[in-house]
PDB file of all heavy atoms in Angstrom:
ATOM      1  N   LYS A1220       0.630   2.116  -0.904  1.00 88.00           N
ATOM      2  CA  LYS A1220       1.414   3.346  -1.004  1.00 88.00           C
ATOM      3  C   LYS A1220       1.021   4.306   0.103  1.00 88.00           C
ATOM      4  O   LYS A1220      -0.150   4.430   0.445  1.00 88.00           O
ATOM      5  CB  LYS A1220       1.179   3.997  -2.360  1.00 88.00           C
ATOM      6  CG  LYS A1220       1.995   5.257  -2.543  1.00 88.00           C
ATOM      7  CD  LYS A1220       2.322   5.483  -3.971  1.00 88.00           C
ATOM      8  CE  LYS A1220       2.990   6.803  -4.203  1.00 88.00           C
ATOM      9  NZ  LYS A1220       4.271   6.961  -3.593  1.00 88.00           N
ATOM     10  N   TYR A1222       1.624   8.340   1.641  1.00 90.00           N
ATOM     11  CA  TYR A1222       1.970   9.694   1.219  1.00 90.00           C
ATOM     12  C   TYR A1222       2.263  10.562   2.433  1.00 90.00           C
ATOM     13  O   TYR A1222       1.663  10.381   3.488  1.00 90.00           O
ATOM     14  CB  TYR A1222       0.806  10.340   0.467  1.00 90.00           C
ATOM     15  CG  TYR A1222       0.434   9.656  -0.818  1.00 90.00           C
ATOM     16  CD1 TYR A1222      -0.486   8.627  -0.843  1.00 90.00           C
ATOM     17  CD2 TYR A1222       0.992  10.067  -2.023  1.00 90.00           C
ATOM     18  CE1 TYR A1222      -0.841   8.009  -2.020  1.00 90.00           C
ATOM     19  CE2 TYR A1222       0.639   9.456  -3.209  1.00 90.00           C
ATOM     20  CZ  TYR A1222      -0.274   8.427  -3.201  1.00 90.00           C
ATOM     21  OH  TYR A1222      -0.618   7.816  -4.374  1.00 90.00           O
ATOM     22  N   GLU A1230      -1.265  15.361  -4.893  1.00 92.00           N
ATOM     23  CA  GLU A1230      -2.152  14.355  -5.469  1.00 92.00           C
ATOM     24  C   GLU A1230      -3.595  14.852  -5.543  1.00 92.00           C
ATOM     25  O   GLU A1230      -4.302  14.570  -6.506  1.00 92.00           O
ATOM     26  CB  GLU A1230      -2.074  13.084  -4.616  1.00 92.00           C
ATOM     27  CG  GLU A1230      -2.749  11.897  -5.186  1.00 92.00           C
ATOM     28  CD  GLU A1230      -1.999  11.278  -6.358  1.00 92.00           C
ATOM     29  OE1 GLU A1230      -0.779  11.455  -6.481  1.00 92.00           O
ATOM     30  OE2 GLU A1230      -2.670  10.617  -7.162  1.00 92.00           O
ATOM     31  N   LEU A1231      -4.038  15.598  -4.529  1.00 92.00           N
ATOM     32  CA  LEU A1231      -5.427  16.063  -4.465  1.00 92.00           C
ATOM     33  C   LEU A1231      -5.614  17.496  -4.955  1.00 92.00           C
ATOM     34  O   LEU A1231      -6.728  18.008  -4.918  1.00 92.00           O
ATOM     35  CB  LEU A1231      -5.940  15.960  -3.028  1.00 92.00           C
ATOM     36  CG  LEU A1231      -6.094  14.547  -2.479  1.00 92.00           C
ATOM     37  CD1 LEU A1231      -6.396  14.585  -1.000  1.00 92.00           C
ATOM     38  CD2 LEU A1231      -7.189  13.816  -3.230  1.00 92.00           C
ATOM     39  N   ARG A1246     -10.330  13.295   8.702  1.00 84.00           N
ATOM     40  CA  ARG A1246     -10.785  12.898   7.369  1.00 84.00           C
ATOM     41  C   ARG A1246      -9.668  12.293   6.529  1.00 84.00           C
ATOM     42  O   ARG A1246      -9.927  11.592   5.564  1.00 84.00           O
ATOM     43  CB  ARG A1246     -11.395  14.088   6.651  1.00 84.00           C
ATOM     44  CG  ARG A1246     -12.648  14.560   7.352  1.00 84.00           C
ATOM     45  CD  ARG A1246     -13.314  15.672   6.624  1.00 84.00           C
ATOM     46  NE  ARG A1246     -14.495  16.117   7.363  1.00 84.00           N
ATOM     47  CZ  ARG A1246     -15.162  17.194   7.080  1.00 84.00           C
ATOM     48  NH1 ARG A1246     -14.799  17.950   6.074  1.00 84.00           N
ATOM     49  NH2 ARG A1246     -16.203  17.532   7.807  1.00 84.00           N
ATOM     50  N   LEU A1247      -8.431  12.564   6.876  1.00 88.00           N
ATOM     51  CA  LEU A1247      -7.251  11.951   6.244  1.00 88.00           C
ATOM     52  C   LEU A1247      -6.280  11.572   7.364  1.00 88.00           C
ATOM     53  O   LEU A1247      -6.278  12.190   8.423  1.00 88.00           O
ATOM     54  CB  LEU A1247      -6.556  12.916   5.285  1.00 88.00           C
ATOM     55  CG  LEU A1247      -7.236  13.250   3.977  1.00 88.00           C
ATOM     56  CD1 LEU A1247      -6.425  14.301   3.221  1.00 88.00           C
ATOM     57  CD2 LEU A1247      -7.408  12.032   3.105  1.00 88.00           C
ATOM     58  N   TYR A1249      -6.041   8.859   9.184  1.00 79.00           N
ATOM     59  CA  TYR A1249      -6.629   8.213  10.356  1.00 79.00           C
ATOM     60  C   TYR A1249      -6.254   6.738  10.485  1.00 79.00           C
ATOM     61  O   TYR A1249      -6.392   6.163  11.545  1.00 79.00           O
ATOM     62  CB  TYR A1249      -8.159   8.349  10.339  1.00 79.00           C
ATOM     63  CG  TYR A1249      -8.810   7.847   9.093  1.00 79.00           C
ATOM     64  CD1 TYR A1249      -9.126   6.507   8.920  1.00 79.00           C
ATOM     65  CD2 TYR A1249      -9.116   8.732   8.054  1.00 79.00           C
ATOM     66  CE1 TYR A1249      -9.719   6.057   7.758  1.00 79.00           C
ATOM     67  CE2 TYR A1249      -9.711   8.286   6.895  1.00 79.00           C
ATOM     68  CZ  TYR A1249     -10.009   6.948   6.751  1.00 79.00           C
ATOM     69  OH  TYR A1249     -10.589   6.509   5.602  1.00 79.00           O
ATOM     70  N   ILE A1260      -0.521   9.347   5.188  1.00 92.00           N
ATOM     71  CA  ILE A1260      -1.798   9.249   4.495  1.00 92.00           C
ATOM     72  C   ILE A1260      -1.696   8.115   3.489  1.00 92.00           C
ATOM     73  O   ILE A1260      -0.774   8.080   2.674  1.00 92.00           O
ATOM     74  CB  ILE A1260      -2.128  10.580   3.798  1.00 92.00           C
ATOM     75  CG1 ILE A1260      -2.144  11.705   4.831  1.00 92.00           C
ATOM     76  CG2 ILE A1260      -3.449  10.495   3.063  1.00 92.00           C
ATOM     77  CD1 ILE A1260      -2.016  13.079   4.263  1.00 92.00           C
ATOM     78  N   THR A1261      -2.635   7.188   3.535  1.00 92.00           N
ATOM     79  CA  THR A1261      -2.592   6.036   2.640  1.00 92.00           C
ATOM     80  C   THR A1261      -3.318   6.344   1.331  1.00 92.00           C
ATOM     81  O   THR A1261      -4.110   7.276   1.245  1.00 92.00           O
ATOM     82  CB  THR A1261      -3.240   4.800   3.298  1.00 92.00           C
ATOM     83  OG1 THR A1261      -4.605   5.086   3.554  1.00 92.00           O
ATOM     84  CG2 THR A1261      -2.534   4.423   4.587  1.00 92.00           C
ATOM     85  N   ALA A1262      -3.046   5.518   0.341  1.00 92.00           N
ATOM     86  CA  ALA A1262      -3.694   5.671  -0.959  1.00 92.00           C
ATOM     87  C   ALA A1262      -5.193   5.418  -0.849  1.00 92.00           C
ATOM     88  O   ALA A1262      -5.989   6.048  -1.552  1.00 92.00           O
ATOM     89  CB  ALA A1262      -3.058   4.721  -1.970  1.00 92.00           C
ATOM     90  N   ALA A1263      -5.606   4.526   0.051  1.00 92.00           N
ATOM     91  CA  ALA A1263      -7.027   4.248   0.237  1.00 92.00           C
ATOM     92  C   ALA A1263      -7.753   5.468   0.792  1.00 92.00           C
ATOM     93  O   ALA A1263      -8.899   5.746   0.417  1.00 92.00           O
ATOM     94  CB  ALA A1263      -7.204   3.063   1.178  1.00 92.00           C
ATOM     95  N   GLU A1264      -7.115   6.212   1.694  1.00 92.00           N
ATOM     96  CA  GLU A1264      -7.720   7.425   2.246  1.00 92.00           C
ATOM     97  C   GLU A1264      -7.884   8.492   1.168  1.00 92.00           C
ATOM     98  O   GLU A1264      -8.900   9.192   1.136  1.00 92.00           O
ATOM     99  CB  GLU A1264      -6.864   7.972   3.387  1.00 92.00           C
ATOM    100  CG  GLU A1264      -6.852   7.080   4.600  1.00 92.00           C
ATOM    101  CD  GLU A1264      -5.808   7.497   5.605  1.00 92.00           C
ATOM    102  OE1 GLU A1264      -4.992   8.392   5.320  1.00 92.00           O
ATOM    103  OE2 GLU A1264      -5.816   6.922   6.699  1.00 92.00           O
ATOM    104  N   ILE A1265      -6.898   8.613   0.291  1.00 92.00           N
ATOM    105  CA  ILE A1265      -6.986   9.581  -0.798  1.00 92.00           C
ATOM    106  C   ILE A1265      -8.108   9.188  -1.751  1.00 92.00           C
ATOM    107  O   ILE A1265      -8.892  10.031  -2.197  1.00 92.00           O
ATOM    108  CB  ILE A1265      -5.633   9.712  -1.525  1.00 92.00           C
ATOM    109  CG1 ILE A1265      -4.632  10.421  -0.599  1.00 92.00           C
ATOM    110  CG2 ILE A1265      -5.769  10.461  -2.838  1.00 92.00           C
ATOM    111  CD1 ILE A1265      -3.250  10.549  -1.142  1.00 92.00           C
ATOM    112  N   ALA A1266      -8.219   7.894  -2.052  1.00 92.00           N
ATOM    113  CA  ALA A1266      -9.291   7.424  -2.935  1.00 92.00           C
ATOM    114  C   ALA A1266     -10.661   7.673  -2.299  1.00 92.00           C
ATOM    115  O   ALA A1266     -11.604   8.092  -2.983  1.00 92.00           O
ATOM    116  CB  ALA A1266      -9.109   5.941  -3.231  1.00 92.00           C
ATOM    117  N   ARG A1267     -10.778   7.460  -1.001  1.00 91.00           N
ATOM    118  CA  ARG A1267     -12.055   7.697  -0.307  1.00 91.00           C
ATOM    119  C   ARG A1267     -12.396   9.182  -0.323  1.00 91.00           C
ATOM    120  O   ARG A1267     -13.549   9.558  -0.526  1.00 91.00           O
ATOM    121  CB  ARG A1267     -11.978   7.190   1.125  1.00 91.00           C
ATOM    122  CG  ARG A1267     -13.265   7.364   1.879  1.00 91.00           C
ATOM    123  CD  ARG A1267     -13.187   6.681   3.244  1.00 91.00           C
ATOM    124  NE  ARG A1267     -14.417   6.882   3.956  1.00 91.00           N
ATOM    125  CZ  ARG A1267     -14.635   7.881   4.815  1.00 91.00           C
ATOM    126  NH1 ARG A1267     -13.676   8.735   5.085  1.00 91.00           N
ATOM    127  NH2 ARG A1267     -15.795   8.008   5.420  1.00 91.00           N
ATOM    128  N   TYR A1268     -11.394  10.035  -0.126  1.00 90.00           N
ATOM    129  CA  TYR A1268     -11.642  11.479  -0.152  1.00 90.00           C
ATOM    130  C   TYR A1268     -12.101  11.923  -1.542  1.00 90.00           C
ATOM    131  O   TYR A1268     -13.002  12.734  -1.668  1.00 90.00           O
ATOM    132  CB  TYR A1268     -10.389  12.245   0.265  1.00 90.00           C
ATOM    133  CG  TYR A1268     -10.616  13.735   0.327  1.00 90.00           C
ATOM    134  CD1 TYR A1268     -11.205  14.313   1.439  1.00 90.00           C
ATOM    135  CD2 TYR A1268     -10.266  14.563  -0.729  1.00 90.00           C
ATOM    136  CE1 TYR A1268     -11.436  15.673   1.499  1.00 90.00           C
ATOM    137  CE2 TYR A1268     -10.498  15.924  -0.684  1.00 90.00           C
ATOM    138  CZ  TYR A1268     -11.076  16.471   0.435  1.00 90.00           C
ATOM    139  OH  TYR A1268     -11.313  17.817   0.493  1.00 90.00           O
ATOM    140  N   ARG A1269     -11.489  11.369  -2.575  1.00 90.00           N
ATOM    141  CA  ARG A1269     -11.904  11.697  -3.950  1.00 90.00           C
ATOM    142  C   ARG A1269     -13.336  11.233  -4.210  1.00 90.00           C
ATOM    143  O   ARG A1269     -14.112  11.917  -4.878  1.00 90.00           O
ATOM    144  CB  ARG A1269     -10.971  11.035  -4.955  1.00 90.00           C
ATOM    145  CG  ARG A1269      -9.698  11.762  -5.155  1.00 90.00           C
ATOM    146  CD  ARG A1269      -8.942  11.153  -6.300  1.00 90.00           C
ATOM    147  NE  ARG A1269      -7.704  11.858  -6.501  1.00 90.00           N
ATOM    148  CZ  ARG A1269      -6.552  11.289  -6.796  1.00 90.00           C
ATOM    149  NH1 ARG A1269      -6.492   9.988  -6.931  1.00 90.00           N
ATOM    150  NH2 ARG A1269      -5.468  12.004  -6.948  1.00 90.00           N
ATOM    151  N   GLU A1270     -13.691  10.062  -3.698  1.00 90.00           N
ATOM    152  CA  GLU A1270     -15.027   9.510  -3.911  1.00 90.00           C
ATOM    153  C   GLU A1270     -16.094  10.342  -3.205  1.00 90.00           C
ATOM    154  O   GLU A1270     -17.131  10.650  -3.786  1.00 90.00           O
ATOM    155  CB  GLU A1270     -15.061   8.081  -3.386  1.00 90.00           C
ATOM    156  CG  GLU A1270     -16.387   7.389  -3.523  1.00 90.00           C
ATOM    157  CD  GLU A1270     -16.336   6.007  -2.916  1.00 90.00           C
ATOM    158  OE1 GLU A1270     -15.388   5.264  -3.206  1.00 90.00           O
ATOM    159  OE2 GLU A1270     -17.249   5.691  -2.141  1.00 90.00           O
ATOM    160  N   LEU A1271     -15.839  10.713  -1.957  1.00 86.00           N
ATOM    161  CA  LEU A1271     -16.820  11.473  -1.186  1.00 86.00           C
ATOM    162  C   LEU A1271     -16.816  12.952  -1.517  1.00 86.00           C
ATOM    163  O   LEU A1271     -17.835  13.618  -1.363  1.00 86.00           O
ATOM    164  CB  LEU A1271     -16.558  11.303   0.316  1.00 86.00           C
ATOM    165  CG  LEU A1271     -16.760   9.908   0.883  1.00 86.00           C
ATOM    166  CD1 LEU A1271     -16.375   9.893   2.351  1.00 86.00           C
ATOM    167  CD2 LEU A1271     -18.195   9.470   0.698  1.00 86.00           C
ATOM    168  N   GLY A1272     -15.675  13.470  -1.922  1.00 79.00           N
ATOM    169  CA  GLY A1272     -15.563  14.884  -2.211  1.00 79.00           C
ATOM    170  C   GLY A1272     -15.491  15.704  -0.932  1.00 79.00           C
ATOM    171  O   GLY A1272     -15.529  15.163   0.168  1.00 79.00           O
TER     172      GLY A1272
END
Side-chain angles (χ1 to χ4, degrees):
K1220 182 151 173 64
Y1222 297 89
E1230 189 73 24
L1231 293 171
R1246 295 184 182 169
L1247 288 176
Y1249 55 84
I1260 303 161
T1261 62
E1264 292 169 353
I1265 290 177
R1267 182 173 179 267
Y1268 183 82
R1269 280 188 180 140
E1270 179 183 312
L1271 294 176

